[in-house]
Amino acid sequence: MKQYDLIVIGGGAGGLTAAAGGANFGAKVALIDKGSLGGDCLWTGCVPTKSLIQSAKILHTAKKANIFDLEVHGYPNFKVAKERLNQSIATIQKHDDDQRFIDMGIDVYHGGASFKNANEIRIDGQTTIRGKRIVIATGSRPMIPPIEGIKETGFLTNETALQLEKQPKSLIVVGGGPIGLEFAQSFSRFGTKVTVVEMGTSILGKEDSELVPYVIGSLKKDGVEFITGAKVLKAENMDSGKQVIIEQNNQQKTLLFEEILLASGRVPNTDKLELENAGIRSNRGFITVNQKLQTNVPHIYAIGDVNGYYPFTHKAGYEGKLVVSNAVFGLKRNANYSNLPWVTYTDPELFHLGLTEEEATNKGKEIKVYKTPLDDVDRFVSDHETNGLIKIITDKKGMILGAHAVGPGAGDFMQEVVFAKQYGHKIGSISNVIHAYPTHVGGVQRTADLYWREKLVSSSITNILKKYVKWFR
C-alpha cells in the first residue's frame, strides 16, 4: 500500500491548489479525481458560462448599432457560442493537465474515492492508499428540487444547458440566484423567451436591496419576465412542450415552455465518500469544519463547496492555500471570509464585499454610507453606460465595513476596495491614491472623495482654515 504525506480528494480549484502547494514544499502527495482535473469551474461553471455571457453580450451590443443607422438581421447561431466556450475550456484546461501535476511529483489517480478508515482511501473500491493528512475537496452539484414529475419531464442544469446545440424557444428558470440570472439573460439575448420563478419576494436575496433593482431593470429590458413569491409544484410533458404548474399567492397557474432550467441551489458531493467509515461529521451532506478547516477528525480537512461556506471558486482557492499551511506545516491559521468578494455576472455586473447596509444597520453599528451613481462618473458618461451605483459602507471612523456596486465591469473596478478593506485602510486612503483619468475606477475615487468632503464640512477646524486662507491671500 502506497503511503503519502497528503492525499487530496478532488481536482477542482481548492484541491489543485492544495496538492500543488504540498508538493512544492516537499510533501509526498496523491491527488484523486473521478473525472478530468479542473473541477466544475472549468468544465461546467465559471469558464464556459462567462464565455456564453460574453457571446450574448456581443449580440446585445450589435443590436445597438441602429443608433448609427446600421441594422442587424438574421438569427444568431448558438453553435458558434458553444464552439467559443469549448475553445475557452480547451485553452485553460492546459493549466490543469495531469502531466503538469505529475511533473511536480504528484501521483494522480482517476476514480471514485471513499474512506476505508480515517487514514486509508479506496479508489473505485479497488486500489487503497494511505495518507498522514487528507484534504476533501470534492465540490458540489446542482440540487434537484422536489417538484412532482420533474425527472420524468426532463430538465436542464448549468451543466447540461451548456451542452445544447441550439437555444430553446422558451425557457423557465427555477431560481433567482446568480446562476439562474446569468443563464436567463444570456438565453434571452440569444432570442429565447425566458421566465424566472423565485420563491423569495425578490431575486438575489443576499445582495444590497438598493442595487438589485438595477439588475432587474436590465434583465427586463432584455425580455426576461419574473414571477416572485412563487413555487413550482409540478411538471409534465405535453405534445406542445413542458407544462409547469406554479403556485403564487395561494393561486395556481399553468405555463408551457420548451425547456426547464433548475438553478435553485447546490448539494455537496459527499454521498459516495463513506464519511462514516472515518467518523467524519456532516450536516445535510456538508462536512463540518472548524476555523482551521479541520473536520472533527483533526488530520482530515474539508475545503471548497463541501464545507458549506460560500460556493465560490476563489474561496476554494483561498482555502487550498490555507490548508497547505495547516496540513503540511502544522500551523493553526484560521479562515477569514470577512474580505471575500463575489460577483454576479449579469449585465450590469453586481459586486458584493462585506456587510450590506441592511446587515450593518441590523448589527446596531453606527455607519456612514457613501454613494456615487454612475452618471456622475465621467468615463461611464462618455461610454453612455450610466446604469449603476457605487456604494461603500464604513464605521464612524471611516473603516470599510462593506462595498457594493452595480455597473459594467463592477467586478473589476471594485477590486481596489477589497485591498483597502483587507489591509485596514480607511476609505479616505482610496481618495488619496492618484487614479488615471478617465477610468471606471474613478467612480471609486469619487465615492471616497465624499468622505473628505464630509469631514471638511463637519470639522470644527474648517472655520479656522477659512480665516487662515483669507489672511494668507
Side-chain angles (χ1 to χ4, degrees), residues 180-201:
L181 296 181
E182 290 171 10
F183 272 101
Q185 187 175 45
S186 294
F187 276 109
S188 182
R189 287 181 167 183
F190 267 93
T192 301
K193 179 176 172 51
V194 180
T195 300
V196 175
V197 178
E198 166 59 36
M199 289 184 64
T201 56

PDB file of all heavy atoms in Angstrom, residues 180-201:
ATOM      1  N   GLY A 180     -28.957  31.220 -12.051  1.00  0.00           N
ATOM      2  CA  GLY A 180     -30.183  31.319 -12.822  1.00  0.00           C
ATOM      3  C   GLY A 180     -30.268  32.589 -13.631  1.00  0.00           C
ATOM      4  O   GLY A 180     -30.665  32.581 -14.808  1.00  0.00           O
ATOM      5  N   LEU A 181     -29.861  33.719 -13.041  1.00  0.00           N
ATOM      6  CA  LEU A 181     -29.970  35.006 -13.724  1.00  0.00           C
ATOM      7  C   LEU A 181     -28.966  35.133 -14.853  1.00  0.00           C
ATOM      8  O   LEU A 181     -29.265  35.713 -15.905  1.00  0.00           O
ATOM      9  CB  LEU A 181     -29.788  36.146 -12.731  1.00  0.00           C
ATOM     10  CG  LEU A 181     -30.855  36.240 -11.630  1.00  0.00           C
ATOM     11  CD1 LEU A 181     -30.579  37.425 -10.726  1.00  0.00           C
ATOM     12  CD2 LEU A 181     -32.256  36.344 -12.224  1.00  0.00           C
ATOM     13  N   GLU A 182     -27.764  34.604 -14.658  1.00  0.00           N
ATOM     14  CA  GLU A 182     -26.764  34.675 -15.728  1.00  0.00           C
ATOM     15  C   GLU A 182     -27.229  33.895 -16.956  1.00  0.00           C
ATOM     16  O   GLU A 182     -27.091  34.358 -18.093  1.00  0.00           O
ATOM     17  CB  GLU A 182     -25.421  34.142 -15.211  1.00  0.00           C
ATOM     18  CG  GLU A 182     -24.756  35.068 -14.197  1.00  0.00           C
ATOM     19  CD  GLU A 182     -23.538  34.457 -13.522  1.00  0.00           C
ATOM     20  OE1 GLU A 182     -23.076  33.385 -13.973  1.00  0.00           O
ATOM     21  OE2 GLU A 182     -23.060  35.045 -12.544  1.00  0.00           O
ATOM     22  N   PHE A 183     -27.800  32.705 -16.736  1.00  0.00           N
ATOM     23  CA  PHE A 183     -28.330  31.929 -17.854  1.00  0.00           C
ATOM     24  C   PHE A 183     -29.558  32.602 -18.454  1.00  0.00           C
ATOM     25  O   PHE A 183     -29.734  32.618 -19.676  1.00  0.00           O
ATOM     26  CB  PHE A 183     -28.678  30.510 -17.403  1.00  0.00           C
ATOM     27  CG  PHE A 183     -27.531  29.550 -17.486  1.00  0.00           C
ATOM     28  CD1 PHE A 183     -26.821  29.199 -16.360  1.00  0.00           C
ATOM     29  CD2 PHE A 183     -27.150  28.989 -18.695  1.00  0.00           C
ATOM     30  CE1 PHE A 183     -25.760  28.313 -16.418  1.00  0.00           C
ATOM     31  CE2 PHE A 183     -26.088  28.103 -18.780  1.00  0.00           C
ATOM     32  CZ  PHE A 183     -25.396  27.758 -17.639  1.00  0.00           C
ATOM     33  N   ALA A 184     -30.412  33.145 -17.596  1.00  0.00           N
ATOM     34  CA  ALA A 184     -31.639  33.786 -18.082  1.00  0.00           C
ATOM     35  C   ALA A 184     -31.316  34.921 -19.047  1.00  0.00           C
ATOM     36  O   ALA A 184     -31.893  35.018 -20.140  1.00  0.00           O
ATOM     37  CB  ALA A 184     -32.458  34.303 -16.896  1.00  0.00           C
ATOM     38  N   GLN A 185     -30.400  35.790 -18.656  1.00  0.00           N
ATOM     39  CA  GLN A 185     -30.059  36.924 -19.515  1.00  0.00           C
ATOM     40  C   GLN A 185     -29.373  36.465 -20.805  1.00  0.00           C
ATOM     41  O   GLN A 185     -29.661  36.980 -21.891  1.00  0.00           O
ATOM     42  CB  GLN A 185     -29.165  37.904 -18.766  1.00  0.00           C
ATOM     43  CG  GLN A 185     -28.914  39.194 -19.537  1.00  0.00           C
ATOM     44  CD  GLN A 185     -28.125  40.200 -18.719  1.00  0.00           C
ATOM     45  OE1 GLN A 185     -27.135  39.858 -18.067  1.00  0.00           O
ATOM     46  NE2 GLN A 185     -28.555  41.447 -18.745  1.00  0.00           N
ATOM     47  N   SER A 186     -28.473  35.493 -20.685  1.00  0.00           N
ATOM     48  CA  SER A 186     -27.752  35.013 -21.865  1.00  0.00           C
ATOM     49  C   SER A 186     -28.709  34.410 -22.890  1.00  0.00           C
ATOM     50  O   SER A 186     -28.668  34.746 -24.082  1.00  0.00           O
ATOM     51  CB  SER A 186     -26.701  33.982 -21.452  1.00  0.00           C
ATOM     52  OG  SER A 186     -25.689  34.572 -20.660  1.00  0.00           O
ATOM     53  N   PHE A 187     -29.587  33.513 -22.440  1.00  0.00           N
ATOM     54  CA  PHE A 187     -30.518  32.887 -23.376  1.00  0.00           C
ATOM     55  C   PHE A 187     -31.496  33.904 -23.952  1.00  0.00           C
ATOM     56  O   PHE A 187     -31.854  33.836 -25.133  1.00  0.00           O
ATOM     57  CB  PHE A 187     -31.273  31.746 -22.687  1.00  0.00           C
ATOM     58  CG  PHE A 187     -30.524  30.445 -22.670  1.00  0.00           C
ATOM     59  CD1 PHE A 187     -29.985  29.940 -21.511  1.00  0.00           C
ATOM     60  CD2 PHE A 187     -30.340  29.730 -23.852  1.00  0.00           C
ATOM     61  CE1 PHE A 187     -29.289  28.741 -21.498  1.00  0.00           C
ATOM     62  CE2 PHE A 187     -29.637  28.524 -23.863  1.00  0.00           C
ATOM     63  CZ  PHE A 187     -29.112  28.033 -22.679  1.00  0.00           C
ATOM     64  N   SER A 188     -31.915  34.850 -23.128  1.00  0.00           N
ATOM     65  CA  SER A 188     -32.832  35.874 -23.620  1.00  0.00           C
ATOM     66  C   SER A 188     -32.188  36.693 -24.726  1.00  0.00           C
ATOM     67  O   SER A 188     -32.835  37.026 -25.736  1.00  0.00           O
ATOM     68  CB  SER A 188     -33.265  36.787 -22.464  1.00  0.00           C
ATOM     69  OG  SER A 188     -34.190  37.751 -22.903  1.00  0.00           O
ATOM     70  N   ARG A 189     -30.915  37.008 -24.582  1.00  0.00           N
ATOM     71  CA  ARG A 189     -30.212  37.789 -25.600  1.00  0.00           C
ATOM     72  C   ARG A 189     -29.996  36.996 -26.884  1.00  0.00           C
ATOM     73  O   ARG A 189     -29.798  37.573 -27.952  1.00  0.00           O
ATOM     74  CB  ARG A 189     -28.884  38.295 -25.034  1.00  0.00           C
ATOM     75  CG  ARG A 189     -29.076  39.425 -24.037  1.00  0.00           C
ATOM     76  CD  ARG A 189     -27.773  39.959 -23.482  1.00  0.00           C
ATOM     77  NE  ARG A 189     -27.996  41.228 -22.791  1.00  0.00           N
ATOM     78  CZ  ARG A 189     -27.030  41.967 -22.247  1.00  0.00           C
ATOM     79  NH1 ARG A 189     -25.772  41.554 -22.300  1.00  0.00           N
ATOM     80  NH2 ARG A 189     -27.321  43.106 -21.651  1.00  0.00           N
ATOM     81  N   PHE A 190     -30.051  35.669 -26.790  1.00  0.00           N
ATOM     82  CA  PHE A 190     -29.979  34.834 -27.984  1.00  0.00           C
ATOM     83  C   PHE A 190     -31.353  34.656 -28.637  1.00  0.00           C
ATOM     84  O   PHE A 190     -31.455  34.039 -29.688  1.00  0.00           O
ATOM     85  CB  PHE A 190     -29.384  33.467 -27.646  1.00  0.00           C
ATOM     86  CG  PHE A 190     -27.901  33.398 -27.834  1.00  0.00           C
ATOM     87  CD1 PHE A 190     -27.043  33.649 -26.781  1.00  0.00           C
ATOM     88  CD2 PHE A 190     -27.349  33.098 -29.066  1.00  0.00           C
ATOM     89  CE1 PHE A 190     -25.668  33.606 -26.949  1.00  0.00           C
ATOM     90  CE2 PHE A 190     -25.976  33.043 -29.246  1.00  0.00           C
ATOM     91  CZ  PHE A 190     -25.125  33.293 -28.183  1.00  0.00           C
ATOM     92  N   GLY A 191     -32.394  35.167 -27.988  1.00  0.00           N
ATOM     93  CA  GLY A 191     -33.719  35.109 -28.589  1.00  0.00           C
ATOM     94  C   GLY A 191     -34.699  34.184 -27.916  1.00  0.00           C
ATOM     95  O   GLY A 191     -35.840  34.035 -28.381  1.00  0.00           O
ATOM     96  N   THR A 192     -34.314  33.566 -26.799  1.00  0.00           N
ATOM     97  CA  THR A 192     -35.219  32.694 -26.060  1.00  0.00           C
ATOM     98  C   THR A 192     -36.164  33.524 -25.199  1.00  0.00           C
ATOM     99  O   THR A 192     -35.736  34.498 -24.577  1.00  0.00           O
ATOM    100  CB  THR A 192     -34.421  31.724 -25.162  1.00  0.00           C
ATOM    101  OG1 THR A 192     -33.551  30.934 -25.976  1.00  0.00           O
ATOM    102  CG2 THR A 192     -35.338  30.814 -24.368  1.00  0.00           C
ATOM    103  N   LYS A 193     -37.414  33.129 -25.134  1.00  0.00           N
ATOM    104  CA  LYS A 193     -38.367  33.773 -24.235  1.00  0.00           C
ATOM    105  C   LYS A 193     -38.168  33.156 -22.848  1.00  0.00           C
ATOM    106  O   LYS A 193     -38.405  31.959 -22.658  1.00  0.00           O
ATOM    107  CB  LYS A 193     -39.799  33.561 -24.710  1.00  0.00           C
ATOM    108  CG  LYS A 193     -40.857  34.179 -23.815  1.00  0.00           C
ATOM    109  CD  LYS A 193     -42.251  34.006 -24.402  1.00  0.00           C
ATOM    110  CE  LYS A 193     -43.332  34.437 -23.423  1.00  0.00           C
ATOM    111  NZ  LYS A 193     -43.139  35.776 -22.851  1.00  0.00           N
ATOM    112  N   VAL A 194     -37.732  33.963 -21.883  1.00  0.00           N
ATOM    113  CA  VAL A 194     -37.304  33.450 -20.572  1.00  0.00           C
ATOM    114  C   VAL A 194     -38.182  33.984 -19.456  1.00  0.00           C
ATOM    115  O   VAL A 194     -38.480  35.181 -19.396  1.00  0.00           O
ATOM    116  CB  VAL A 194     -35.829  33.826 -20.289  1.00  0.00           C
ATOM    117  CG1 VAL A 194     -35.402  33.299 -18.923  1.00  0.00           C
ATOM    118  CG2 VAL A 194     -34.916  33.281 -21.384  1.00  0.00           C
ATOM    119  N   THR A 195     -38.561  33.078 -18.546  1.00  0.00           N
ATOM    120  CA  THR A 195     -39.280  33.442 -17.325  1.00  0.00           C
ATOM    121  C   THR A 195     -38.523  32.887 -16.130  1.00  0.00           C
ATOM    122  O   THR A 195     -38.158  31.709 -16.114  1.00  0.00           O
ATOM    123  CB  THR A 195     -40.710  32.874 -17.332  1.00  0.00           C
ATOM    124  OG1 THR A 195     -41.427  33.399 -18.446  1.00  0.00           O
ATOM    125  CG2 THR A 195     -41.452  33.248 -16.043  1.00  0.00           C
ATOM    126  N   VAL A 196     -38.261  33.730 -15.136  1.00  0.00           N
ATOM    127  CA  VAL A 196     -37.583  33.323 -13.908  1.00  0.00           C
ATOM    128  C   VAL A 196     -38.612  33.202 -12.796  1.00  0.00           C
ATOM    129  O   VAL A 196     -39.397  34.128 -12.551  1.00  0.00           O
ATOM    130  CB  VAL A 196     -36.497  34.337 -13.497  1.00  0.00           C
ATOM    131  CG1 VAL A 196     -35.885  33.960 -12.144  1.00  0.00           C
ATOM    132  CG2 VAL A 196     -35.410  34.421 -14.565  1.00  0.00           C
ATOM    133  N   VAL A 197     -38.617  32.056 -12.114  1.00  0.00           N
ATOM    134  CA  VAL A 197     -39.507  31.832 -10.977  1.00  0.00           C
ATOM    135  C   VAL A 197     -38.666  31.757  -9.713  1.00  0.00           C
ATOM    136  O   VAL A 197     -37.732  30.959  -9.631  1.00  0.00           O
ATOM    137  CB  VAL A 197     -40.336  30.539 -11.149  1.00  0.00           C
ATOM    138  CG1 VAL A 197     -41.213  30.303  -9.930  1.00  0.00           C
ATOM    139  CG2 VAL A 197     -41.187  30.615 -12.398  1.00  0.00           C
ATOM    140  N   GLU A 198     -38.984  32.589  -8.733  1.00  0.00           N
ATOM    141  CA  GLU A 198     -38.218  32.674  -7.486  1.00  0.00           C
ATOM    142  C   GLU A 198     -39.164  32.569  -6.289  1.00  0.00           C
ATOM    143  O   GLU A 198     -40.212  33.232  -6.246  1.00  0.00           O
ATOM    144  CB  GLU A 198     -37.444  33.990  -7.429  1.00  0.00           C
ATOM    145  CG  GLU A 198     -36.877  34.378  -6.082  1.00  0.00           C
ATOM    146  CD  GLU A 198     -35.901  33.350  -5.521  1.00  0.00           C
ATOM    147  OE1 GLU A 198     -35.146  32.740  -6.300  1.00  0.00           O
ATOM    148  OE2 GLU A 198     -35.924  33.150  -4.294  1.00  0.00           O
ATOM    149  N   MET A 199     -38.802  31.724  -5.314  1.00  0.00           N
ATOM    150  CA  MET A 199     -39.643  31.547  -4.131  1.00  0.00           C
ATOM    151  C   MET A 199     -39.654  32.785  -3.235  1.00  0.00           C
ATOM    152  O   MET A 199     -40.652  33.088  -2.589  1.00  0.00           O
ATOM    153  CB  MET A 199     -39.172  30.330  -3.321  1.00  0.00           C
ATOM    154  CG  MET A 199     -39.454  28.993  -3.987  1.00  0.00           C
ATOM    155  SD  MET A 199     -38.986  27.590  -2.935  1.00  0.00           S
ATOM    156  CE  MET A 199     -40.122  27.801  -1.560  1.00  0.00           C
ATOM    157  N   GLY A 200     -38.543  33.492  -3.189  1.00  0.00           N
ATOM    158  CA  GLY A 200     -38.463  34.683  -2.352  1.00  0.00           C
ATOM    159  C   GLY A 200     -39.247  35.838  -2.940  1.00  0.00           C
ATOM    160  O   GLY A 200     -39.717  35.796  -4.074  1.00  0.00           O
ATOM    161  N   THR A 201     -39.357  36.893  -2.132  1.00  0.00           N
ATOM    162  CA  THR A 201     -40.103  38.066  -2.597  1.00  0.00           C
ATOM    163  C   THR A 201     -39.335  38.855  -3.654  1.00  0.00           C
ATOM    164  O   THR A 201     -39.914  39.681  -4.353  1.00  0.00           O
ATOM    165  CB  THR A 201     -40.436  38.991  -1.414  1.00  0.00           C
ATOM    166  OG1 THR A 201     -39.210  39.349  -0.739  1.00  0.00           O
ATOM    167  CG2 THR A 201     -41.367  38.294  -0.429  1.00  0.00           C
TER     168      THR A 201
END
